[in-house]
Amino acid sequence: SGSMGKTDVEGGITRQQAVQDSLRKFVASRRSDRIGMVIFATKAWPFAPISEDKQALQTRINQLAPGMIGQQTAIGDALGVAVKVLDAGPDSRADKLAILLTDGNDTASQLPPMLAAKLAAEHHVQVHTIAFGDPNSRDNDKVDLALLQRIAKTTGGHAWTAARSGSALDEVWQKIDAITPVQVKSLGWSWHKA
């Protein structure tokens, strides 16, 4: 949303820049995972398909801009789209994980966020949530910590708060990386010497 353009992150960078920097590091650390990206503001949109192509995903991360699809926040719709994208993924037997990062509260969803969380749970999608806004701000800019905690709990995920610190956000991604096993499919070779 447009609030991602605020320059209230330590070091004077925008929220968007802090998220991009931190997300690039996380993606680089998950070498064998298939990762996709859904962006949301006034509506939710699949922005990068689920793929092992990390270079293409990094390119999409670089293309993110505050307010590119509106000024509001559609948390429920974003979660609904993520579940749909994961269900259509190439391997239905794989563990499914969605990471929901927001700096505001739901102001635009057609699909209520808790209904989306129940849908995620029914489709075996674990959701980790990250609050990256100012929990002390007022009105629509305030991060709805209680909602993010309920979404995580409903789906068996964890809820984190990174406030407005790039280093705190890096730490959250590292925690997610540590508790999320890398799903490696290896091909075993055997040979026989005659």
Side-chain angles (χ1 to χ4, degrees):
S1 63
S3 60
M4 291 297 278
K6 289 184 177 181
T7 55
D8 60 354
V9 177
E10 65 182 7
I13 63 173
T14 66
R15 293 178 183 181
Q16 183 76 40
Q17 289 168 315
V19 168
Q20 285 172 300
D21 291 345
S22 194
L23 187 53
R24 282 186 205 101
K25 295 174 203 168
F26 177 75
V27 167
S29 73
R30 304 298 296 190
R31 292 189 180 111
S32 63
D33 289 346
R34 288 188 302 275
I35 302 174
M37 184 170 39
V38 172
I39 58 173
F40 62 100
T42 303
K43 57 185 176 180
W45 193 263
F47 195 59
I50 295 175
S51 168
E52 289 181 26
D53 187 346
K54 302 304 184 301
Q55 185 175 0
L57 183 57
Q58 296 285 15
T59 298
R60 293 305 262 173
I61 291 168
N62 293 338
Q63 294 170 342
L64 293 171
M68 65 190 291
I69 57 171
Q71 298 298 316
Q72 295 181 302
T73 305
I75 292 172
D77 294 353
L79 190 49
V81 170
V83 170
K84 186 174 182 178
V85 167
L86 286 165
D87 270 353
D91 189 353
S92 61
R93 294 170 290 131
D95 291 337
K96 294 183 248 180
L97 173 67
I99 301 168
L100 173 66
L101 184 146
T102 184
D103 70 339
N105 63 62
D106 191 88
T107 58
S109 285
Q110 306 260 331
L111 178 63
M114 285 311 300
L115 185 56
K118 290 176 185 171
L119 179 70
E122 288 170 7
H123 287 259
H124 308 287
V125 176
Q126 185 181 51
V127 181
H128 295 318
T129 62
I130 304 172
F132 188 61
D134 182 357
N136 299 316
S137 66
R138 299 181 185 269
D139 303 321
N140 293 340
D141 285 340
K142 184 173 183 174
V143 178
D144 191 342
L145 297 176
L147 173 65
L148 296 179
Q149 290 167 351
R150 287 194 318 268
I151 289 171
K153 184 176 181 181
T154 299
T155 64
H158 296 273
W160 282 281
T161 301
R164 290 168 302 170
S165 162
S167 58
L169 188 54
D170 285 346
E171 194 174 304
V172 169
W173 287 114
Q174 289 166 5
K175 288 178 182 176
I176 292 171
D177 186 47
I179 66 170
T180 307
V182 177
Q183 300 297 321
V184 177
K185 291 182 179 175
S186 59
L187 176 63
W189 293 92
S190 64
W191 58 280
H192 171 71
K193 185 175 181 179

